[in-house]
Amino acid sequence: MGIDVNAPIFVISVAAELAEMHPQTLRQYDRLGIVRPSRAPGRSRRYSQRDIELLREVQKLSQEGVSLEGIKRIMELQNQVTGLRQRVVELSTELDEARRRSSDRSRVFAAGLAGDVVTLSRGQRPPAAATAVQQLGLVSLMERRSRLRALPAGKPSERNYADGGYIQSL
């Protein structure tokens, strides 16, 4: 069983010694927001192993000539990248789970004739026109076409379009 690297266990004097810095330097980094240690109930700073590693990295950047504002910006960007990488892992896991849950990977979605969304298997076509007409309830109109009549302009009688002849008005 190892020590949790994020557990705030070191007081400022021990953390300064481990990071090979003066305690006042750690206080300055805390004020600037470069390294933010946890606070104990008495408001004393508590540093974790991760904080010590971060302090060492700050010291290295400082020795290379990077300003404290530059170091702060670098740390912010590193935290952002870490967060984004974690989010990518989460989304990849969600995507894998969704793919596993999908029992039929060959489903295709199409628009039906009524404007609705229909699910089809790969290679299957949407319903034919006659089937769609039945679905829309127009079959009864097609079956009664012999009884459908229209009155041509200027004619006193109706014409039955089913048989092509004229029928007297009722």
Side-chain angles (χ1 to χ4, degrees):
M1 182 169 143
I3 297 174
D4 182 11
V5 295
N6 294 314
I9 55 175
F10 303 111
V11 295
I12 192 166
S13 59
V14 174
E17 188 176 325
L18 290 171
E20 299 176 355
M21 296 179 175
H22 192 276
Q24 192 60 37
T25 306
L26 274 62
R27 288 183 188 97
Q28 181 182 8
Y29 290 166
D30 185 16
R31 278 192 298 273
L32 293 173
I34 294 174
V35 177
R36 296 189 180 266
S38 298
R39 297 287 181 160
R43 300 285 300 152
S44 62
R45 294 172 177 89
R46 300 286 184 195
Y47 291 85
S48 68
Q49 184 64 41
R50 186 179 183 296
D51 292 333
I52 303 299
E53 292 168 8
L54 191 59
L55 287 167
R56 288 180 181 151
E57 187 175 344
V58 169
Q59 184 179 39
K60 179 183 165 203
L61 289 170
S62 179
Q63 289 172 350
E64 291 175 358
V66 179
S67 69
L68 291 179
E69 284 300 315
I71 292 171
K72 183 178 178 181
R73 183 67 179 142
I74 289 170
M75 296 300 163
E76 288 171 357
L77 291 173
Q78 285 178 338
N79 289 337
Q80 186 178 8
V81 167
T82 301
L84 291 172
R85 283 182 178 154
Q86 289 173 349
R87 185 66 178 142
V88 166
V89 169
E90 290 171 8
L91 291 173
S92 295
T93 303
E94 278 185 46
L95 181 61
D96 291 342
E97 288 175 14
R99 285 180 177 158
R100 276 193 295 269
R101 280 192 308 252
S102 176
S103 61
D104 184 14
R105 292 186 188 176
S106 61
R107 290 190 309 169
V108 176
F109 297 96
L113 292 176
D116 56 331
V117 176
V118 294
T119 304
L120 306 170
S121 296
R122 192 167 299 280
Q124 183 183 8
R125 296 206 178 267
T131 309
V133 170
Q134 288 174 347
Q135 290 175 348
L136 294 174
L138 298 178
V139 171
S140 60
L141 289 176
M142 290 175 57
E143 291 172 351
R144 292 183 287 164
R145 70 177 177 218
S146 63
R147 291 184 281 167
L148 294 177
R149 297 180 181 122
L151 186 61
K155 300 281 183 177
S157 61
E158 295 178 336
R159 180 172 181 177
N160 183 338
Y161 289 102
D163 60 8
Y166 286 95
I167 301 175
Q168 294 296 331
S169 296
L170 299 174

